[in-house]
Amino acid sequence: MNDAVPAPTPAPAPRRVRVRAPELIGKGGWINAGGKDLKLADFRGRTLILDFWTFCCVNCLHVLDELRELEERHRDTLVIIGVHSPKFVHEADHQAVVDAVERYGVEHPVLDDPELATWKQYAVRAWPTLVVIDPEGYVVAQHAGEGHAHALASLVEELETEHTAKGTLRRGDGPYVPPEPVATDLRFPGKAVRLPGGSFLVSDTTRHQLVELAADGERVLRRIGSGERALTPDSFNEPQGLALLPDGTVAVADTVNHTIRVLDPETGALETVAGTGKQWWQGSPTSGPAREVALSSPWDVAWWQDRLWIAMAGVHQLWTYDPATGTVEVAAGTTNEGLVDGPAAEAWFAQPSGLAAAGDRLWIADSETSAVRWVERAADGDGYVVRTAVGTGLFDFGHRDGTADQALLQHPLGVTALPDGSVAITDTYNHALRRFDPATGQVTTLATDLREPSAAVLVDDDIVVVESARHRLTRLRLPEEAVRVESVAHRTQRAATEVAPGALRLDVVFQPPAGQKLDTRYGPSTRLLVSATPPELLAEGAGAGTDLARDLVLADGVTEGVLHVSAMAASCDDAPDIEYPACHVHQQDWGVPVQVVDGGVARLGLVLAGLDAA
């Protein structure tokens, strides 16, 4: 007779909501698939993660890096598919997508969806968005924004266990077919600086190196860095901006390492002076000893006002590094994405990606707003102010010359101060070199037929342009007359959500990953910020709060606009025996175009993590 107490029956796992996944459709076809036209049926038996991204979006680039370890660890059971869903017109160019896939080291198949067909099928509202499909072809989770790697890892392991037991898991090689390598001296170079001896130092971004070229801009003198993605004394990870410092050394924005390095051109010695090597998240310190404060995708650097200024593209801010004290601090921007001028602490940027110091102004290429802006001392000498020369916001772009208040750019990545006080603009997605003259308020085109120019360096009467997608430096004579171009204006092609007049319920859906709970140890663990363009769109509901649901009221007489929603949630391991639970921040910004019409929806649901069951 057995008197042992029987073990309790484990509680059944909570039933997971499953929705049949729509087919993957994209007019541009497949990249990294060896010429094969892939279908959902090809992935049956594997866990599938769809990564909806666009190559202009720094948050999408962060997610690419977050997914690398997960992709490698579960290579025989997990397939990641990039679904490229363009914002800018240039991003609908198939060759540009092919280039971006190589540029950022994407090692999985990518569906080029220039008409947003699959985006619409999956009801995606933001870049980046991740959709998880189980081995039987059902959608089981959706995550918007960054910071979900740990949740995805947990879900992938759970699906592996579940479908191994059911006999529905299929292991094996994935569908990724790498492209043939191409032999060029540079591969998608980012920025350049002229050294005192007349040579050029170029960030060879895709090859994770710096390259010194002779004064002719062609002959390679030396390569600096191992060429491997790493943060070591002889390596970089997608370096971008370069700036000559007063002592003759060169500051390097080591973008994907989230650090600032300093190179001694004479000895080749490389030192990390700012950043921890980890990405900055909301709630992290924003000032202090430079090696103890995390940074986020520094994209360019410039020496101005006795500081190294940093275009912190990953958090839409400008920071400074003071080598005298060895400290960093935020200089401008709130981390909210958009175009707002005024006192530096209240300004909004959108992926600042290029800097140029010119006397009492620091010029900025603010890429996602297709804008050129500047920072200067406030009139009373107390702090700084931010102003805009060209550009109106996140959704308007094109190629139009004329007065600055109506001129249009398309995702510029660089600015270069010219001797006459004007500024040259590397208008990246227009494949053009443009010029803004503060004296006349005019924007003109200096050159066209460049290929994704990302920076330029002034050399006497010439300007040397970094043609990133042609993998070279191109020397141009600064023209006395502008090139005539046909004006083109665009708006982002995402369809507007039709909403009913008056009251609008906003729900941000967040379901903590399995085994985690909201972190309320130090107060509310969620944050919601709502604003609108134009501001008059919202009669009630704008501002910050801690509840992820909010009742908005749309104003009478405003028929369209964009709702800007920024949400954050922090979750921690939920197990009493863990003394120091791991915690994770999930965050995303949405810009939702809306049209106010009778019969429109009265509720707007945005998924931060989980599935919207409403």
Side-chain angles (χ1 to χ4, degrees), residues 304-305 360-361 375-385 387:
W304 186 64
Q305 304 263 321
D360 58 0
R361 288 185 177 181
V375 176
E376 64 184 3
R377 283 281 183 186
D380 60 5
D382 185 17
Y384 295 92
V385 293
R387 307 196 189 283

Side-chain angles (χ1 to χ4, degrees), residues 306-317:
D306 298 322
R307 300 284 191 279
L308 183 71
W309 287 68
I310 305 166
M312 203 71 75
V315 286
H316 319 300
Q317 291 180 313

Side-chain angles (χ1 to χ4, degrees), residues 134-207:
D134 73 11
E136 293 179 289
Y138 289 90
V139 174
V140 294
Q142 181 173 323
H143 301 267
E146 304 177 51
H148 301 294
H150 68 289
L152 291 170
S154 176
L155 180 54
V156 167
E157 290 170 3
E158 181 183 329
L159 290 170
E160 270 188 17
T161 301
E162 175 184 335
H163 288 273
T164 296
K166 290 176 67 175
T168 49
L169 186 74
R170 175 172 59 86
R171 296 178 182 269
D173 294 333
Y176 169 63
V177 178
E180 290 292 327
V182 182
T184 54
D185 288 334
L186 301 173
R187 204 70 193 159
F188 298 105
K191 306 286 185 180
V193 67
R194 195 182 188 204
L195 297 177
S199 61
F200 296 94
L201 190 65
V202 184
S203 54
D204 196 16
T205 304
T206 297
R207 292 203 176 116

Side-chain angles (χ1 to χ4, degrees), residues 246-335:
D247 64 0
T249 59
V250 177
V252 183
D254 196 0
T255 303
V256 181
N257 275 330
H258 309 294
T259 56
I260 302 298
R261 322 287 291 279
V262 170
L263 170 75
D264 184 336
E266 295 297 323
T267 66
L270 188 64
E271 178 187 5
T272 301
V273 298
T276 63
K278 302 294 184 182
Q279 186 183 338
W280 185 93
W281 288 99
Q282 290 285 354
S284 302
T286 55
S287 63
R291 290 297 308 278
E292 299 174 15
V293 178
L295 309 181
S296 181
S297 294
W299 209 273
D300 203 7
V301 283
W303 184 259
W304 186 64
Q305 304 263 321
D306 298 322
R307 300 284 191 279
L308 183 71
W309 287 68
I310 305 166
M312 203 71 75
V315 286
H316 319 300
Q317 291 180 313
L318 304 182
W319 288 40
T320 59
Y321 164 66
D322 182 356
T325 60
T327 58
V328 292
E329 63 180 353
V330 175
T334 63
T335 75

Side-chain angles (χ1 to χ4, degrees), residues 460-480:
D460 302 322
D461 293 328
D462 295 342
I463 192 163
V464 176
V465 179
V466 179
E467 273 199 276
S468 187
R470 282 201 177 111
H471 319 293
R472 71 187 188 192
L473 303 189
T474 299
R475 185 182 292 258
L476 304 172
R477 178 57 56 101
L478 275 173
E480 295 181 4

